[in-house]
Amino acid sequence: MKRTEIAELGEFGLIERLKKYETHHHDTTLKGIGDDAAVWKIDEQRYGLLSTDLLAEGIHFDLSYTPLKHLGYKAIAVNVSDIVAMNGYPKRAVVSIALSNRFSVEAIEELYEGMKIACERYRVDLIGGDTTSSRSGLIINVAIEGEVESRRITYRNTARTHDVLCVTGDLGAAYIGLQIMEREKQVFLANPEQQPDLTPYDYVIERLLRPEARLDIVEELRKRDVVPTAMIDISDGLASEILHLCTQSGTGALIYEERIPIDRMTYDVAINEFKIAPTICAMNGGEDYELLFALSPADFEKVKNHPDIVPIGYLTHPGEGTYLQTRGGNLVKIEAQGWNHFKKL
Ligand code: ADP
Ligand code: MG
């Protein structure tokens, strides 16, 4: 049999290939692979949501600069984010860990303290899990369950041409936070006596180490009687999420560089210290855990005064492609990779 390297397919290609193994024995199962969470029918009014995310040491976090309490908080928050991306509310989670004897009981309790704080904040019941040993560092897996009113459920694939494309908060900060921490780690390794002063970078570092899920936005949309036509959380960078939303919905998109919300600190540090265009951080950086959603023009009117909901463009006909209009007026095709030509300032 032919051996295919995973790198040939990439993460999304592999998931696409695994889709054929999806099984379907229950009519109440409404959505399997392909969205932020799986969906099933509880009754006519309510749908159940289920999602899981795994964090592996050395891949998703570096314990030399990640406090375990923050890591615990993040493990819950990133899972809540996938429930939020369906316009739902999280309810219950189970947590599995694989660890080596490098960790003390107190260290693991630190991790769980962080999870507890997140569970308080997002009203999640932590109700079980599994524990095993690991020979390759700490692995944390959270599976989370939630609920959404059936008339408010928001998939990725239901956006329409002429919808307004919105994002929440600001983007690119976690990526800059990561660059700072990686830089300071190298400085520290070269000279362990020197303690870095990270206060000038507090916001971007917090965005990396202790992200929040935008459950407040789900609440806000409900209050204003707005249901997005499609939604996804921004975990892999805006470019990748726009492509997911547009490909799955069968639309194109035009977004404006000048509209992409970027925090002042992110902007300044990106340019002055890393010589990276801030737009690159927002488009291709990851781990912001903000939301990207599409609104009908009528619904957009109801939220347009909200300070944390920012229109960045609109959806176009599928044949028109997905483009970013730069500040200079050029049209750049949005691609998950291949932004190198854009990297120079
Ligand atoms: P997210 O970034 O929102 O967590 P992912 O990109 O991890 O989403 O996953 C996209 C979709 O693929 C989801 O519906 C998820 O359930 C599914 N998926 C990911 N990995 C696997 C896997 N190993 N087996 C089956 N489905 C998977
Ligand atoms: Mg997601």
Side-chain angles (χ1 to χ4, degrees):
M1 203 157 80
K2 178 175 179 278
R3 178 188 158 93
T4 310
E5 299 303 328
I6 290 171
E8 281 177 47
L9 295 181
E11 182 195 340
F12 298 130
L14 178 64
I15 295 173
E16 199 53 42
R17 179 118 161 210
L18 295 179
K19 259 191 184 168
K20 63 173 180 280
Y21 298 101
E22 196 177 327
T23 53
H24 191 128
H25 297 290
H26 304 281
D27 284 345
T28 45
T29 302
L30 300 177
K31 180 95 188 180
I33 296 173
D35 217 305
D36 292 292
V39 183
W40 74 94
K41 185 173 167 177
I42 300 172
D43 56 35
E44 290 302 327
Q45 278 75 43
R46 294 176 307 155
Y47 288 172
L49 302 167
L50 181 60
S51 183
T52 185
D53 252 311
L54 185 142
L55 299 179
E57 184 178 351
I59 307 287
H60 300 98
F61 58 88
D62 182 332
L63 286 179
S64 66
Y65 57 76
T66 307
L68 284 165
K69 208 182 213 175
H70 285 35
L71 184 60
Y73 191 96
K74 182 168 179 172
I76 297 294
V78 302
N79 274 275
V80 171
S81 182
D82 277 324
I83 298 295
V84 159
M86 306 303 292
N87 210 13
Y89 291 84
K91 298 269 174 181
R92 282 159 282 265
V94 289
V95 175
S96 301
I97 50 172
L99 50 115
S100 65
N101 54 15
R102 176 160 65 94
F103 294 94
S104 65
V105 174
E106 288 74 19
I108 298 307
E109 281 192 324
E110 272 294 295
L111 182 73
Y112 273 74
E113 280 297 329
M115 288 199 258
K116 190 173 172 200
I117 295 169
C119 286
E120 299 289 334
R121 167 129 193 173
Y122 301 116
R123 299 193 73 236
V124 172
D125 296 341
L126 202 169
I127 51 165
D130 194 21
T131 307
T132 185
S133 51
S134 161
R135 281 194 251 175
S136 58
L138 177 65
I139 296 172
I140 308 166
N141 176 247
V142 177
I144 192 162
E145 174 258 359
E147 216 174 285
V148 55
E149 281 172 87
S150 52
R151 63 188 183 87
R152 301 193 58 82
I153 188 150
T154 309
Y155 295 104
R156 286 180 182 177
N157 65 354
T158 39
R160 294 170 302 219
T161 301
H162 306 311
D163 285 347
V164 182
L165 206 49
C166 297
V167 296
T168 60
D170 62 80
L171 302 176
Y175 179 77
I176 288 300
L178 177 65
Q179 303 315 306
I180 297 279
M181 293 318 273
E182 291 290 335
R183 183 184 72 189
E184 296 307 319
K185 182 184 173 182
Q186 295 314 320
V187 173
F188 182 78
L189 288 176
N191 184 1
E193 270 84 74
Q194 203 181 318
Q195 279 293 326
D197 176 16
L198 297 174
T199 38
Y201 310 109
D202 54 357
Y203 178 69
V204 293
I205 290 172
E206 179 153 337
R207 295 281 285 171
L208 171 73
L209 298 180
R210 200 178 169 286
E212 297 286 359
R214 298 309 304 257
L215 190 55
D216 60 321
I217 296 292
V218 172
E219 193 59 43
E220 198 60 43
L221 293 173
R222 194 168 65 101
K223 269 197 222 145
R224 296 180 188 223
D225 197 25
V226 167
V227 181
T229 56
M231 182 150 67
I232 184 169
D233 69 330
I234 306 176
S235 51
D236 296 334
L238 183 59
S240 166
E241 315 304 359
I242 288 176
L243 290 174
H244 281 310
L245 192 139
C246 289
T247 312
Q248 294 194 28
S249 295
T251 67
L254 176 61
I255 67 161
Y256 299 91
E257 182 181 22
E258 65 190 12
R259 293 293 193 106
I260 299 173
I262 295 171
D263 164 77
R264 184 84 242 169
M265 186 190 290
T266 308
Y267 193 92
D268 289 345
V269 177
I271 291 185
N272 299 332
E273 302 190 30
F274 295 102
K275 313 277 180 260
I276 314 172
T279 304
I280 294 289
C281 303
M283 293 298 276
N284 289 353
E287 301 214 281
D288 291 312
Y289 298 102
E290 295 291 343
L291 295 169
L292 168 73
F293 52 84
L295 295 176
S296 69
D299 268 354
F300 174 63
E301 288 301 313
K302 299 188 212 163
V303 299
K304 71 176 184 194
N305 65 353
H306 192 288
D308 251 13
I309 298 178
V310 185
I312 57 165
Y314 59 92
L315 297 178
T316 57
H317 295 285
E320 294 178 63
T322 44
Y323 287 92
L324 171 98
Q325 184 174 315
T326 65
R327 284 201 178 80
N330 295 326
L331 285 182
V332 180
K333 200 170 177 18
I334 298 175
E335 286 165 328
Q337 298 142 356
W339 276 69
N340 297 338
H341 61 286
F342 203 68
K343 253 177 191 150
K344 274 229 158 75
L345 277 174

